[in-house]
Amino acid sequence: MAGVNAWIQTLVLIVVFGLLAGVLRWAFGNDRRAVPDYTGDDFGLLNEVAIVPTEEAARVLAKRLRTAGIKATSVRGAEPGAYRVMVFPVDVPEAKLLLRDV
């Protein structure tokens, strides 16, 4: 009788863990995030507004945008000798307008 009771407890435990795994997979298992970009071309929410040949030029342009109140950064591009000035999408038109005269 004790052996049967142990088998029933084990079976109930397996069923409970199976149901828990099913619920967790249903709640959290639908991961539709994009595959990470290892090429260096994906900068998330940031958009490119300028490409310049030197790091110093990119820093100068980013500083000019920040002085105008636009959040900007400079990053090295995937291709050698190219530095990108990046801003958020909402700031792209204003940033391009400011950098047009440069």
Side-chain angles (χ1 to χ4, degrees):
M1 190 71 172
V4 173
N5 195 15
W7 278 103
I8 291 175
Q9 288 176 352
T10 304
L11 184 62
V12 168
L13 187 63
I14 290 172
V15 169
V16 168
F17 277 127
L19 288 173
L20 180 62
V23 168
L24 289 175
R25 180 178 167 102
W26 172 77
F28 301 109
N30 194 9
D31 188 9
R32 297 192 189 277
R33 290 179 291 175
V35 177
D37 176 41
Y38 296 113
T39 62
D41 290 334
D42 184 19
F43 295 99
L45 294 177
L46 297 177
N47 289 356
E48 171 187 298
V49 291
I51 298 178
V52 292
T54 64
E55 184 177 5
E56 182 61 30
R59 272 194 257 139
V60 167
L61 293 180
K63 184 178 180 183
R64 180 175 181 173
L65 292 172
R66 284 192 298 270
T67 303
I70 299 173
K71 294 180 182 178
T73 188
S74 60
V75 296
R76 177 179 288 182
E79 56 279 349
Y83 293 87
R84 298 176 179 191
V85 180
M86 312 291 286
V87 299
F88 286 103
V90 70
D91 296 325
V92 169
E94 188 177 351
K96 285 186 176 182
L97 186 63
L98 284 170
L99 297 179
R100 183 183 63 174
D101 299 331
V102 178

